[in-house]
Amino acid sequence: MSEVALSGKGKILTFTIIHSSSEQYAVFKPYVLAIIELEEGARMTSHVICDPEDVYIGMPVHSVFRIIEKEGADGVIHYGTKFVPDD
């Protein structure tokens, strides 16, 4: 394996809108979960931060660093990659 720099830019290949989830993700409901194809060809599954009514296949997106989950009011905060639509 080798390290590769990725641009973080891509497009939505397919998506689903989650209406029912565990309590851990209830704050996000409904939310968009999509398979993103990056410009470099890699594909990944990720949360897309947008109004579920606005998402579409082929939508250009870019990566952002956001909170993934929190472990209680005084617990550990986990950060990771999510995507947002391009302007």
Side-chain angles (χ1 to χ4, degrees):
M1 290 206 280
S2 60
E3 189 173 319
V4 176
L6 300 172
S7 67
K9 296 180 181 182
K11 66 180 178 182
I12 294 177
L13 289 181
T14 189
F15 67 91
T16 188
I17 299 172
I18 308 296
H19 293 277
S20 179
S21 63
S22 67
E23 182 131 347
Q24 170 183 356
Y25 297 103
V27 67
F28 300 116
K29 287 193 308 186
Y31 65 92
V32 178
L33 190 63
I35 296 177
I36 311 293
E37 182 174 54
L38 300 174
E39 288 180 339
E40 297 80 10
R43 294 179 179 179
M44 61 187 295
T45 302
S46 183
H47 179 186
V48 179
I49 304 169
C50 70
D51 187 328
E53 294 178 8
D54 294 338
V55 69
Y56 59 91
I57 291 175
M59 174 186 265
V61 293
H62 64 275
S63 63
V64 292
F65 196 62
R66 295 285 192 265
I67 293 174
I68 301 293
E69 70 176 298
K70 297 178 184 180
E71 293 181 12
D74 296 324
V76 176
I77 300 174
H78 300 272
Y79 291 88
T81 301
K82 293 185 181 186
F83 285 81
V84 295
D86 282 347
D87 296 330

